[in-house]
Amino acid sequence: MATARGRRLYGKYSERLGKPIAPAKPEDPNHSLFPGFQAIFGVEWPLEPAAYIEIDPAGLDAAISIPDRHQAIHRAVSLYSDAIVEHLRDDAEAHIDLWMAIVPEDVHKHCRPLSKSKKGGPEQAAPVALMDKKQATRLLTNEPGLFAEDAKSAEIYLYELDFHNQLKARLLEHKAAVQVVRETTLAPEEFPNKLGKPLRALQDPATLAWNLATTCYFKAGGKPWQLAHVRQGVCYVGVVFKQDASNPEPGMVCCGAQMFLESGDGVVFKGTPGQFKSEKEDEFHLPRDKAKALMCLVVEAYRKGHGGESPKELFIHGKTRFSYEEWEGFREAVPPQTNVVCVRIREDSGVKLYRHGPSAIARGLAWVKSETRGYLWTKGYVTRLQTYAGREVPSPLTIEIARGNADIEQVMADVLGLTKLNYNACIYGDGVPVTLRFADTVGEILTAAPRTEDLPPLPFRYYI
């Protein structure tokens, strides 16, 4: 879905994805030839989409010109989300694996949290602000008997002021995967700045094609790659916390979990929101019952996909140490034969190692400090590629077994493997395991729109 201009740019880029794209620096191992979508994945990138919805540029321009940012962004998102929902309702038999939302640069410029309205827009697009977020929250909390129209007007102010996050959040309940692409990404040469150069500094065309093709293939239901030598019966879970501004009750925090299996499949669960206070300002912990309820969702989903069998090992990753209440809740959610282990993972810039020679230390180097703690370098020189993709001296991750019993070397090996499951980009290895890499992103999508009903567990591809 796109404007007429976006449709034209998308068509040209679709043709480009079907052909080889030369790397910007052929001699640099960090740059690779893009051989074409079919050559990589064995399927063609369709030149013509299965469905096309045209967005009226005048209507979109009118929406982003509204001075009230809540109304402006909500209306701009509605032009895309409502059209998708209507298509799904009217043509239920046609299955769309992935929606490509091609947006003009003005959407990116004016539909983000700190953006301002577009000046010089249509005169008819100037409704004054009805209220602010605090007033809307107060209204929805204290006046449960509001008329439907008043409640709907107030609810707009609970949506996140971000086009990308709000669009994904509003499509979750309809199970519609979407890839948002800016027009300037598809054809940077058609958007010059005052000096005649591209408006945006992008990756070289081959790298851009690799990244876009990989994430689209994954979101469409494919699996770009899979880990070798994985251990069966192991389940990895990343715990997510996010202040829930979409909840009319003040101080509410949304908790969630990202489950990843040995196959690389990922599922996101949303737990019951609550006021999860902690002694530290930006640190949250679940009470025992909430921890149990969240992990019960994870274990139930695992059993459904494994013939009723529970996981042999359940590793729960977090950025903070897990409380005793959380630990007890997690353990109650699984049978006695499941080994539950809580692992704290955080980046540590205070530790640096240097090696003789021009290259950084090797990726995958581990320094075991004790039976429960060690340092793991997930960034560094890659022997297979004969290069280091970064510029600065790499910092390690601190890996700590906070609760439970496990072999620290095995835990670190698992974390290193999980850094290779970032399907949102085509990279050799990420610096953070996938269980935590997208925690903030998933939290933002979970809280970008108010909910009247609980979300069911959904595949990870709907959130990135």
Side-chain angles (χ1 to χ4, degrees), residues 18-297:
K19 303 174 183 177
I21 301 176
K25 301 177 181 179
E27 303 303 322
D28 188 338
N30 285 315
H31 293 262
S32 299
L33 166 76
F34 179 79
F37 193 85
Q38 185 176 22
I40 300 169
F41 300 114
V43 294
E44 289 186 357
W45 181 283
L47 295 180
E48 292 296 327
Y52 170 58
I53 300 173
E54 185 164 318
I55 302 297
D56 177 24
L60 188 58
D61 196 52
I64 63 180
S65 299
I66 298 174
D68 184 341
R69 304 317 302 144
H70 287 277
Q71 294 185 56
I73 296 175
H74 186 274
R75 185 174 298 183
V77 172
S78 295
L79 292 174
Y80 286 80
S81 63
D82 291 356
I84 291 177
V85 173
E86 183 179 354
H87 180 89
L88 294 175
R89 182 177 59 246
D90 296 343
D91 195 1
E93 294 183 1
H95 180 71
I96 305 296
D97 294 313
L98 176 65
W99 290 92
M100 301 293 290
I102 313 301
V103 299
E105 194 62 17
D106 278 346
V107 170
H108 176 78
K109 184 177 180 181
H110 299 288
C111 294
R112 291 187 295 165
L114 300 179
S115 63
K116 297 181 180 180
S117 62
K118 182 179 180 181
K119 303 300 181 183
E123 292 183 4
Q124 67 269 25
V128 296
L130 300 175
M131 62 191 80
D132 59 24
K133 191 161 191 169
K134 289 184 178 179
Q135 291 172 324
T137 300
R138 225 172 15 245
L139 199 62
L140 291 169
T141 304
N142 300 326
E143 302 289 341
L146 280 176
F147 290 109
E149 192 64 31
D150 294 332
K152 186 176 181 180
S153 297
E155 195 176 71
I156 288 177
Y157 293 84
L158 300 184
Y159 286 87
E160 185 181 352
L161 290 174
D162 187 292
F163 179 94
H164 173 275
N165 292 349
Q166 191 181 134
L167 177 61
K168 287 182 177 290
R170 290 169 65 175
L171 292 174
L172 285 177
E173 60 188 272
H174 303 284
K175 298 182 180 179
V178 61
Q179 173 69 33
V180 180
V181 183
R182 293 154 66 178
E183 291 179 355
T184 51
T185 300
L186 300 177
E189 68 281 355
E190 293 198 24
F191 298 89
N193 58 19
K194 294 179 181 179
L195 300 176
K197 296 183 179 181
L199 187 65
R200 293 172 57 203
L202 294 168
Q203 297 169 315
D204 68 277
T207 301
L208 179 62
W210 272 109
N211 289 334
L212 184 60
T214 298
T215 188
C216 287
Y217 182 74
F218 171 64
K219 290 181 182 181
K223 194 173 296 178
W225 58 82
Q226 186 172 329
L227 291 177
H229 314 299
V230 294
R231 295 181 296 128
Q232 299 298 316
V234 181
C235 177
Y236 306 95
V237 178
V239 179
V240 176
F241 288 102
K242 178 71 176 178
Q243 296 249 358
D244 193 356
S246 68
N247 195 309
E249 289 189 44
M252 297 298 282
V253 174
C254 172
C255 69
Q258 306 172 86
M259 177 184 74
F260 294 91
L261 306 178
E262 67 276 0
S263 62
D265 293 326
V267 181
V268 174
F269 308 84
K270 183 178 181 180
T272 306
Q275 295 179 330
F276 309 130
K277 297 180 180 179
S278 175
E279 295 178 359
K280 296 184 179 180
E281 183 178 351
D282 296 326
E283 190 172 299
F284 303 100
H285 292 286
L286 293 171
R288 186 169 181 166
D289 60 331
K290 301 281 188 180
K292 178 181 178 181
L294 181 63
M295 211 49 56
C296 279
L297 293 175

